[in-house]
Amino acid sequence: MDVKPPERQKERYTYQDYVKWDGRWELINGVPYNMAPTPSLVHQSIVGELYVALRAFFREKGCTVVMAPFDVRLDEQADYEQAKHVVQPDISVICDQSKMGSRGCDGPPDLVVEVLSPSTALKDRNEKYMLYEQFGVKEYWIVDPLHRTVEVYGRGEKGYERRSVFGEGDVLVSFLFADLTVSLAGIFQNIEGEG
C-alpha cells in the first residue's frame, strides 16, 4: 500500500486515493488528516460507555450504532467513490439503512459523537463541525473529557444551534430523539486526566 507523504498535503485527494494509504486517515475537503496517535485510554473509555448506552437505546429502533474506525463518506454529488470527505466519527448512529454498505456509510449519519483529544479538538470543533452541519447531520455531540461536558448541537433554520451543554452530574437529553437520555455520571465515572 502507498503511504502518503506529508509534503504532498497541498494536493486534493478523494476516496479512491484514501483507500490506498496505510494507517488511519480522514479527508476533509480533499485534505488528508493523519489519525495518529492512537486515542488515549480516557478517550476510549468514554467512547465505549457512550456506545453501550446508545446501542441499548437504538437496538429496537432499526438504527445502526457504530464506533470508529468506520468510514462515513460525504459528497456534494453523492459520488461516494470520488468523495472528497471521508471521516471516522467516534460514534455514528445511522437510521436510514440504505446508507449502509460494506465500506461504511454513504451520506450523513443521523447522530455523530466526537470525543475531544488534544490532537483532534480543533478539527472536531471546526472542520468537522462545519462538515457535519453542511451535510445535514441532524445532531452532533462534542464530548470534552477534560471539562467533563457534552455539547449538543442540532439542526436549526440556519444551520447548527447549540441546544445545551451537559455536565458530568447531568442527564443528557437528545433533541433529535426525545426519549434518548444518558446519565453522564456513568459516562465520566473513573475517568481521570484529559482525553
Side-chain angles (χ1 to χ4, degrees):
M1 290 196 156
D2 296 327
V3 177
K4 187 196 55 48
E7 63 271 15
R8 299 189 65 205
Q9 287 193 2
K10 292 183 181 173
E11 295 181 26
R12 296 290 188 225
Y13 297 93
T14 70
Y15 181 73
Q16 288 299 306
D17 302 304
Y18 167 92
V19 296
K20 298 174 187 172
W21 300 335
D22 286 330
R24 286 188 55 212
W25 297 86
E26 290 185 311
L27 275 179
I28 300 175
N29 292 316
V31 176
Y33 292 86
N34 190 332
M35 298 291 286
T38 301
S40 70
L41 177 60
V42 167
H43 180 280
Q44 293 302 86
S45 296
I46 292 171
V47 170
E49 293 292 334
L50 283 170
Y51 172 79
V52 168
L54 292 172
R55 188 167 180 267
F57 175 81
F58 285 107
R59 178 175 283 135
E60 304 299 322
K61 301 200 179 320
C63 300
T64 301
V65 181
V66 292
M67 292 188 300
F70 177 80
D71 287 344
V72 172
R73 301 188 296 177
L74 303 169
D75 188 75
E76 290 83 354
Q77 282 74 45
D79 180 0
Y80 298 112
E81 291 300 311
Q82 296 298 321
K84 63 181 180 178
H85 313 286
V86 185
V87 291
Q88 295 187 359
D90 289 315
I91 301 174
S92 302
V93 177
I94 302 104
C95 296
D96 179 352
Q97 296 305 305
S98 70
K99 294 180 180 179
M100 296 294 292
S102 63
R103 294 182 153 185
C105 177
D106 292 337
D110 294 272
L111 169 64
V112 165
V113 179
E114 295 284 8
V115 178
L116 301 179
S117 61
S119 63
T120 66
L122 287 176
K123 181 176 64 164
D124 291 341
R125 289 191 176 280
N126 294 305
E127 287 88 355
K128 283 188 163 184
Y129 176 97
M130 290 184 285
L131 187 69
Y132 297 150
E133 181 181 46
Q134 174 190 348
F135 281 92
V137 172
K138 296 173 186 170
E139 192 163 287
Y140 180 31
W141 298 1
I142 299 177
V143 182
D144 184 340
L146 182 60
H147 296 102
R148 298 176 184 235
T149 59
V150 180
E151 299 169 41
V152 176
Y153 295 88
R155 305 265 316 147
E157 289 181 20
K158 297 181 180 179
Y160 274 156
E161 298 172 358
R162 186 165 77 180
R163 302 294 174 91
S164 198
V165 178
F166 298 93
E168 69 179 309
D170 296 330
V171 174
L172 182 153
V173 178
S174 168
F175 294 88
L176 178 59
F177 303 97
D179 51 344
L180 170 57
T181 59
V182 178
S183 170
L184 295 183
I187 302 302
F188 291 115
Q189 71 184 1
N190 302 320
I191 300 298
E192 294 181 19
E194 43 182 284

